[in-house]
Amino acid sequence: MSTIVKHYDKKTGKTRVYESTPHYDPVSKQSRPKRKYLGTLDPETGELILSSGRRGRTSSRNVTTTKESTSSAKSTDVQKALSEKEAEIASLQSEVKTLKAIIKSYEKVCASISNALGKAPCDL
């Protein structure tokens, strides 16, 4: 047999309503209540404001908009980071090309010096 239990919170000034069902605990050999949260009482009218049935503080409307805005913000952040990384890759590739050209010129200079001295060519 279930009963309705009202609990008044002094800090918030709200009255919460629960459905209490007795449950026998064989370990302690006593009856313990199992409560299900139903909602809060409206202080002006005294009517029950039903809960959404979900846990947490956010309503279902806020959760969907938050998820959508978060996912769109994440996707724009990822796209921005991707474009920055692509620009960095392009600049590094051009730098590698110039460094390879410099290395080739040094190899030519080294080969000409070693030929002039009559020694074996040096390897870089």
Side-chain angles (χ1 to χ4, degrees), residues 37-91:
Y37 179 69
L38 299 176
T40 58
L41 283 181
D42 187 12
E44 296 174 1
T45 62
E47 294 180 0
L48 177 65
I49 301 171
L50 295 175
S51 70
S52 64
R54 297 182 178 193
R55 291 187 177 189
R57 295 181 180 222
T58 58
S59 66
S60 60
R61 292 180 199 154
N62 292 340
V63 170
T64 56
T65 57
T66 305
K67 285 181 182 177
E68 291 170 359
S69 64
T70 304
S71 63
S72 64
K74 284 182 182 179
S75 65
T76 56
D77 290 343
V78 168
Q79 288 175 350
K80 183 179 178 183
L82 181 62
S83 64
E84 290 174 357
K85 295 295 181 184
E86 287 176 347
E88 184 179 359
I89 288 171
S91 68

Side-chain angles (χ1 to χ4, degrees), residues 3-5 17-21 34-39 51 53:
T3 59
I4 303 295
V5 177
V17 180
Y18 298 91
E19 178 184 14
S20 179
T21 306
K34 285 196 172 185
R35 294 183 176 178
K36 180 182 175 185
Y37 179 69
L38 299 176
S51 70

